[in-house]
Amino acid sequence: MVEPILPSLQEDGIAVWVLGAGPYPPGVVALQELLDEASEELEPEDVWQPEDMNDTCLYIFTSGTTGLPKAARISHLKSVMCLSFYELVGASSRDVVYLALPLYHMAGSLLGIVGCIGIGATCVLKEKFSASQFWDDCRAEGVTVFQYIGELCRYLVNQPQRPGERQHGLRLAVGSGLRPDVWRRFLERFGAIRIVETYGLTEGNVTLFNYTGTPGAVGRSSFIYKLFSPFEIVRYDVAEGAPVRDKAGRCIRVGTGETGLLIAPVTPRTPFLGYAGSQELSEQKLLHGVFAEGDTYFSTGDLVEQDAAQFVRFRDRTGDTYRWKGENVATTEVAEALAAHEALQEVTVYGVSVPGHEGRAGMAALVLRPGCRLDGAGLYQHVAELLPPYAQPRFLRLQERLEMTATFKQQKVRLAQEGFDPARVPDPLFLLDEAARAYVPLGPALWEDIVAGRVRL
């Protein structure tokens, strides 16, 4: 199957390794010959076996829940455990897995590629996801398993209906971030596909699986499950950006149906390896004295709730990070990029909810320098040069000054609540228009088009 594209691979300097009996095309590396020449004796264990399975195997950059991206330490044990990911969700060596996720993220690399290796499945790699080509790809490649993030499924259900979109061999979709409404529309449009929603963080020590196919749930808790992946949900003060503590200084578990912060105990069996760099980066993710003196918990930075049937549902992200297009966006990074523009004096960045879209879109409140005006085209070019597409603010709010809290911190809560509705916001608003390559005025008519889904963000 590789032979038709072999010349183009070799032009790009990509080495191709072949296993099995020859003859082989010219320019490939024959693994069988190398294996035949290799010694049957194993090298000494100290050469290939780590002294501690919790030692660092590799680093994966993540946005985290606050601040700039950090290099998360991934242990040998966690990497090996990813070999069983697809087996845990019901895939086998007979499956063909469709993967269009970035390979520099854990979902694409360790869960996707390593997971396929673990079960001996075939992996179909797509360089860039295309909703219009997806079902044709599935039929052409015999795809049976699709690894998603919620946005990809939303792209699919938003495509115009076409003949044959239920004629495919896809039987399983596994991933994270699938909204309940998109979940139901996906099944109605494309047939009885089993969906397994999961939850996990690159650097985290808690994982959840929704095996029952209950729309909107990331997993289901039970006494037995918590023996393997323990976690707690505690009350969280969004305004303060910290868990609520009682008079004794201990965190408070939430009640049924109450939204709270998801945390997990840090123990030798469920460690948190932290990040490369200073200890302070890792310490920001830890909570101490949570329920007892001396205990330590990892803070996921995610707000969830658990219902009476013990289903856990994701509700929101905390801190200065919002999630858009399947990516975590650090507001500090976006604000720094905007503040580098010569016409801007003050900037604050936050996420706002957009009807019909997962996560939160980026919005920035701006204060111009005296004598300057907002150049929509120039500012668009500025952010396009400094930020990836998913991190570019979709909305702007022009203000005379930024409100500060009593402790001289930028006030974002009210701004996020008011959003981008011209009827609620007295200040001039602007929308990122990719077709015009500029920020354009956002009035009531354009706002209605966004809410109705006639304008794509």
Side-chain angles (χ1 to χ4, degrees):
M1 295 178 66
V2 176
E3 194 165 359
I5 63 171
L6 185 58
S8 62
L9 294 176
Q10 292 171 339
E11 287 177 5
D12 293 336
I14 298 174
V16 178
W17 301 64
V18 180
L19 182 62
Y24 310 113
V28 303
V29 180
L31 277 175
Q32 191 61 52
E33 295 176 3
L34 297 176
L35 290 173
D36 292 341
E37 295 172 1
S39 171
E40 296 289 337
E41 299 295 325
L42 290 176
E43 292 289 333
E45 287 189 1
D46 58 0
V47 173
W48 56 269
Q49 182 173 325
E51 294 182 5
D52 187 337
M53 290 298 287
N54 281 325
D55 286 347
T56 302
C57 174
L58 52 91
Y59 296 94
I60 293 181
F61 276 87
T62 173
S63 297
T65 54
T66 57
L68 298 174
K70 299 177 285 291
R73 294 176 54 207
I74 307 298
S75 69
H76 292 279
L77 179 60
K78 192 167 189 175
S79 300
V80 170
M81 290 175 65
C82 289
L83 288 165
S84 62
F85 172 71
Y86 278 125
E87 185 176 5
L88 288 173
V89 298
S92 72
S93 60
R94 298 184 299 274
D95 280 306
V96 178
V97 180
Y98 190 91
L99 186 62
L101 304 179
L103 298 185
Y104 52 82
H105 281 335
M106 182 171 176
S109 57
L110 292 184
L111 299 183
I113 300 297
V114 174
C116 283
I117 294 173
I119 60 173
T122 299
C123 181
V124 176
L125 279 176
K126 182 76 171 180
E127 183 176 2
K128 184 178 181 181
F129 181 79
S130 170
S132 61
Q133 298 173 7
F134 177 76
W135 295 113
D136 291 337
D137 287 345
C138 286
R139 283 186 287 269
E141 305 295 342
V143 172
T144 58
V145 178
F146 171 41
Q147 187 177 342
Y148 66 81
I149 58 171
E151 280 290 286
L152 302 187
C153 296
R154 188 177 69 83
Y155 294 155
L156 291 173
V157 299
N158 285 344
Q159 282 285 298
Q161 289 192 344
R162 62 186 66 186
E165 62 182 19
R166 293 173 70 97
Q167 297 171 2
H168 54 77
L170 188 65
R171 67 174 190 85
L172 173 65
V174 56
S176 59
L178 186 56
R179 283 198 341 234
D181 59 329
V182 175
W183 188 320
R184 295 186 180 95
R185 289 166 60 197
F186 187 88
L187 295 179
E188 290 171 0
R189 280 276 300 270
F190 309 122
I193 300 167
R194 184 181 178 224
I195 294 177
V196 179
E197 176 82 354
T198 66
Y199 172 88
L201 299 173
T202 300
E203 73 276 40
N205 61 348
V206 58
T207 303
L208 293 167
F209 292 87
N210 177 0
Y211 288 110
T212 61
T214 303
V218 297
R220 191 178 192 182
S221 175
S222 68
F223 171 77
I224 295 177
Y225 188 85
K226 280 193 169 184
L227 293 177
F228 300 96
S229 186
F231 66 88
E232 299 288 347
I233 307 173
V234 297
R235 290 182 182 171
Y236 185 82
D237 188 323
V238 175
E240 292 295 326
V244 177
R245 295 189 180 247
D246 61 19
K247 294 181 179 179
R250 305 303 180 205
C251 293
I252 305 168
R253 292 180 175 89
V254 300
T256 299
E258 182 181 354
T259 298
L261 176 67
L262 179 64
I263 62 176
V266 177
T267 67
R269 192 168 58 82
T270 57
F272 168 59
L273 300 184
Y275 308 101
S278 67
Q279 181 61 31
E280 182 181 356
L281 292 175
S282 301
E283 189 62 31
Q284 293 173 356
K285 296 293 294 182
L286 298 177
L287 301 172
H288 300 284
V290 175
F291 299 116
E293 190 67 29
D295 67 8
T296 300
Y297 279 72
F298 169 76
S299 172
T300 65
D302 289 332
L303 300 177
V304 302
E305 72 173 44
Q306 184 171 307
D307 63 20
Q310 295 189 304
F311 284 106
V312 179
R313 290 177 168 80
F314 176 86
R315 288 298 178 229
D316 206 352
R317 299 190 67 83
T318 63
D320 282 341
T321 296
Y322 55 88
R323 194 167 182 83
W324 180 247
K325 301 296 183 182
E327 298 277 355
N328 293 337
V329 182
T331 58
T332 52
E333 183 179 12
V334 179
E336 287 175 4
L338 285 170
H341 193 279
E342 59 184 11
L344 302 183
Q345 179 171 288
E346 291 184 83
V347 176
T348 187
V349 178
Y350 47 97
V352 294
S353 298
V354 182
H357 291 73
E358 270 100 14
R360 292 174 181 266
M363 185 166 184
L366 310 176
V367 176
L368 295 173
R369 294 186 183 278
C372 292
R373 64 180 183 84
L374 183 66
D375 177 5
L379 187 56
Y380 174 91
Q381 182 178 356
H382 175 81
V383 300
E385 291 175 352
L386 296 181
L387 295 170
Y390 64 83
Q392 297 166 12
R394 266 21 192 192
F395 305 100
L396 302 178
R397 176 174 179 168
L398 201 57
Q399 296 185 286
E400 293 185 359
R401 62 182 179 86
L402 297 183
E403 292 187 14
M404 310 294 276
T405 66
T407 54
F408 302 100
K409 295 180 181 179
Q410 293 176 341
Q411 178 60 266
K412 299 184 181 183
V413 175
R414 182 181 62 81
L415 293 173
Q417 290 174 342
E418 291 180 351
F420 59 98
D421 183 354
R424 299 184 60 189
V425 178
D427 307 309
L429 297 172
F430 297 84
L431 169 70
L432 186 152
D433 187 335
E434 293 181 341
R437 299 184 63 81
Y439 282 96
V440 300
L442 172 59
L446 186 52
W447 179 82
E448 291 177 2
D449 287 340
I450 295 171
V451 173
R454 291 187 291 268
V455 172
R456 180 180 177 184
L457 300 182

